[in-house]
Amino acid sequence: VQLQASGGGLVQAGGSLRLSCAASGRTFSSYVMGWFRQAPGKEREFVAAISQNGVRIYYADSVKGRFTISRDSAKNTVYLEMNSLKPEDTAVYYCAAINGLRIGFKETDYNYWGQGTQVTVSS
């Protein structure tokens, strides 16, 4: 599967953005999907993940209550709705996919990666 992330940009603290990740291929519904982010000088970290049917959803503690992950199988797209953004949310955001049933929380759990989209939150 090929992944294309979009929707990043510059936003003021307290603002919102919605990231999208479009997947190619006809087997999108068979993949666990996740979002990670990497801030300058830091390691890539888990943000959120969603199971194939959208029932199992997990968030990093740092974004819980502010971010929402969702997926639309008809559009082969996974979304990350980000509200109440903080300067510490500034990072390159990546979508990723697992060809399997288990939810992943580490980079190495994921088989496929998108190219990343920059999110910058100004104070």
Side-chain angles (χ1 to χ4, degrees):
V1 65
Q2 291 186 320
L3 305 174
Q4 180 75 33
S6 62
L10 173 64
V11 63
Q12 287 189 329
S16 300
L17 281 175
R18 188 175 80 157
L19 305 183
S20 300
C21 176
S24 65
R26 293 176 290 179
T27 58
F28 172 74
S29 60
S30 66
Y31 291 93
V32 167
M33 300 298 297
W35 286 96
F36 284 73
R37 67 185 182 185
Q38 187 168 20
K42 295 188 177 181
E43 295 190 349
R44 197 171 297 188
E45 64 176 4
F46 170 80
V47 175
I50 186 169
S51 62
Q52 289 91 336
N53 59 7
V55 172
R56 293 178 293 150
I57 290 176
Y58 299 86
Y59 297 99
D61 288 342
S62 57
V63 307
K64 205 171 291 184
R66 301 187 298 121
F67 290 12
T68 302
I69 188 171
S70 62
R71 64 191 297 160
D72 185 338
S73 293
K75 296 182 178 180
N76 281 8
T77 300
V78 63
Y79 303 98
L80 187 68
E81 183 77 33
M82 305 185 295
N83 299 312
S84 302
L85 282 162
K86 305 175 181 179
E88 51 264 42
D89 294 319
T90 295
V92 177
Y93 283 71
Y94 299 88
C95 60
I98 297 174
N99 187 11
L101 295 176
R102 196 169 63 137
I103 293 284
F105 300 95
K106 301 179 296 183
E107 277 188 82
T108 52
D109 292 333
Y110 288 78
N111 309 108
Y112 305 98
W113 290 84
Q115 84 290 0
T117 184
Q118 176 72 48
V119 171
T120 303
V121 184
S122 63
S123 55

